[in-house]
Amino acid sequence: MEQYKQEFIEFMVDSKVLKFGEFTLKSGRKSPFFMNAGAYVTGTQLRKLGEYYAKAIHDTYGDDFDVLFGPAYKGIPLSVATAMAYSELYGKDVKYCSNRKEEKDHGDVGILLGHKLQDGDRVIMIEDVTTSGKSMEETVPIVRAQANVEIKGLIVSLNRMERGKGDKCALDEVAEVYGFPTAAIVNMAEVTEHLYNKPYKGEVIINDTLKSAIDAYYEQYGAK
């Protein structure tokens, strides 16, 4: 596993973004783990988060894009932080763009924040996590309605690797429906591999009991 992925897993734990226990998801599923990107609240956290996204984008998609699009609302700081990090790390100045929940009819008018999409723009969508694909269902039509753009792909921070609406994981479903590739900084298999029975700051995050709960969850809800 790449070094930045290992560091990102530990960063999620340190930031209390990735938690383990028993959580009821919006879907009603009882999950032994939960990710809340809203827990990234400091400047230092956002700077580091942008760097991890930038490394994953560069690793997955290269420099073949012009715009980072972050769906409102959580995608807004993600797109900004990642655009800044990409410039610092790779010397490429990319634009950020996000949508508003409601179109503005005065001043900076329209549905978009940041860069106004133009024909020929190569866009990477950026999100925190995709569990059902609903966000893409809402925002892909908005992006494609603004201009004749090419969506190069979607990047999220964590692939939960569980079934979406069908038997495939939500990321695979998005790729199938919209015709662009999808990727994550890390997936739950990598998280489990890195943390299972390995002390981190004096504590074993995933012990045998928790590992059994994770395995049971994937037996029931794991994607094919």
Side-chain angles (χ1 to χ4, degrees):
M1 192 192 312
E2 293 89 337
Q3 183 67 30
Y4 77 86
K5 291 189 174 188
Q6 298 178 44
E7 293 174 0
F8 180 64
I9 291 167
E10 295 169 2
F11 173 64
M12 286 193 290
V13 172
D14 290 340
S15 302
K16 295 181 171 52
V17 165
L18 182 61
K19 296 184 177 183
F20 298 93
E22 186 174 306
F23 307 92
T24 301
L25 307 180
K26 286 182 180 179
S27 62
R29 297 174 182 175
K30 303 285 187 183
S31 173
F33 58 91
F34 182 71
M35 183 197 159
N36 173 25
Y40 295 121
V41 293
T42 71
T44 299
Q45 287 173 331
L46 289 171
R47 178 183 57 78
K48 291 180 71 174
L49 180 62
E51 290 174 356
Y52 291 124
Y53 267 105
K55 289 175 181 178
I57 290 170
H58 189 264
D59 196 31
T60 307
Y61 299 113
D63 288 332
D64 190 26
F65 71 101
D66 313 295
V67 183
L68 285 169
F69 185 94
Y73 288 102
K74 287 183 180 178
I76 297 174
L78 293 181
S79 61
V80 172
T82 305
M84 294 171 68
Y86 213 91
S87 173
E88 288 290 323
L89 291 173
Y90 303 111
K92 180 179 172 69
D93 217 10
V94 298
K95 305 175 182 71
Y96 98 91
C97 181
S98 296
N99 63 299
R100 294 183 170 99
K101 289 290 188 179
E102 296 179 0
E103 192 164 351
K104 191 176 179 185
D105 60 4
H106 61 283
D108 183 19
V109 298
I111 195 72
L112 299 181
L113 294 168
H115 172 66
K116 305 306 179 188
L117 293 172
Q118 301 171 4
D119 290 351
D121 279 344
R122 299 166 300 172
V123 179
I124 288 180
M125 311 289 279
I126 182 168
E127 278 202 297
D128 56 347
V129 66
T130 296
T131 52
S132 68
K134 185 179 180 185
S135 176
M136 289 296 100
E137 193 176 300
E138 295 173 348
T139 54
V140 168
I142 291 173
V143 170
R144 288 178 168 164
Q146 304 309 306
N148 184 20
V149 304
E150 179 185 3
I151 299 179
K152 302 293 293 187
L154 165 68
I155 187 83
V156 302
S157 58
L158 176 67
N159 180 358
R160 288 183 58 98
M161 299 176 66
E162 61 188 86
R163 294 197 311 269
K165 296 176 181 177
D167 289 334
K168 298 180 180 179
C169 74
L171 284 179
D172 288 343
E173 289 178 348
V174 167
E176 192 173 80
V177 171
Y178 298 106
F180 52 76
T182 58
I185 302 176
V186 294
N187 60 45
M188 271 308 296
E190 292 169 324
V191 171
T192 303
E193 174 193 336
H194 186 62
L195 297 177
Y196 177 48
N197 274 349
K198 296 174 185 174
Y200 176 64
K201 294 187 175 179
E203 178 186 1
V204 174
I205 307 296
I206 300 180
N207 56 23
D208 289 336
T209 302
L210 182 55
K211 176 66 160 55
S212 295
I214 293 172
D215 289 345
Y217 185 77
Y218 280 109
E219 282 179 18
Q220 186 170 7
Y221 298 116
K224 294 182 179 179

